[in-house]
Amino acid sequence: MPFIPENELERALVAAAHDSGAAPAFYRLLLDSDLLVLGTVEGQEEATETVALEPGGRINLVPGEKDGSRYLPVFSSLTRMQDYVTEESKYLRINGRALLDLTRGAPVTLNPASEYGKELTADQVGQLLDSARIVPRIVESQAEPPVRLVEALTHFFTARPDIQAAWITMVAPSGRAEEAHPLVGIETSGDWPSMMQGLQEVARDAPDSMFDVQRVDRFNPVGMAAALLQSPPFYQRRFLN
C-alpha cells in the first residue's frame, strides 16, 4: 500500500528520508507528537476506551523482534500500526518524549512494517532525549570557554560538511555561577543523533570540559538558541565558489 502521510509527523518523516536538512524538524516532531504503541496500562488491561496513565502507573508494552534482537515498535498513526499487526491488539497513545523517556535503554523502530520508518538504537534515543532538554540560564560572567574544547570542536566540525556554524558561551544552574560550564550551539542540516554520538568522542578528547549542546535554528530559535545567536559563531563553514 502506498505511504500517504496522515499527519505532520509523517510528512516530516517523508521529507527527512529524502533531504537530510529536514531531519531536525522530524526529530522535534517525533518528541512532540503522540505515538501509538502496543500494550496496556497495568490494572486496566480490559479497558476498551482511551485510558490515562496516572502518576506512578505502569504500562506493559509488546516488543518486536528482528534478527534475534528485541526492539520497541512505535507508530505515527493507526494506519501504520495496522500495517504491522496481524490480529486485533490493544494499544496506547502516548507523547513521544514521554514514551521514549519511559522506555529509555531500549532500541526503537518507528513504523517497522511501512515504507517510511526510522530505527533508533538505545544510544541514539538517549542522545535525542538529552539534546532536547532545557539547559541552564546564561551566567553573566567573563569566564572564557576552555581553549582545548574549542579546538577539539573546531576540528570535529571541519570534518563534517553538515555543520554550518557553531556558537559557545558559559552557562550555570541558577544561583550557582561557580558551576559555569560551556554551552555549545550547533546549526546543522545533518542527522542529530549521529552528530551527538560524534560529540561524545570530542568530550573524551577534552575530558576536563563538560558541556551542554543546543541545536540552533536561526529561523525558529528555541531554548537557549536565541541567546547564543546574540554573539558571533566561533565556527563558520566556508563555502568555496
Side-chain angles (χ1 to χ4, degrees), residues 41-76:
V41 175
E42 194 169 279
Q44 303 182 65
E45 288 82 0
E46 301 307 316
T48 57
E49 299 180 354
T50 301
V51 295
L53 182 62
E54 301 295 334
R58 297 171 61 88
I59 58 177
N60 300 310
L61 301 180
V62 180
E65 186 170 324
K66 179 180 179 181
D67 300 329
S69 298
R70 297 182 119 194
Y71 68 93
L72 179 67
V74 300
F75 308 94
S76 53

Side-chain angles (χ1 to χ4, degrees), residues 138-159:
I138 287 184
V139 174
E140 296 179 2
S141 170
Q142 298 302 314
E144 294 293 330
V147 173
R148 185 178 176 186
L149 174 61
V150 173
E151 292 175 347
L153 288 169
T154 299
H155 179 75
F156 173 69
F157 295 150
T158 301

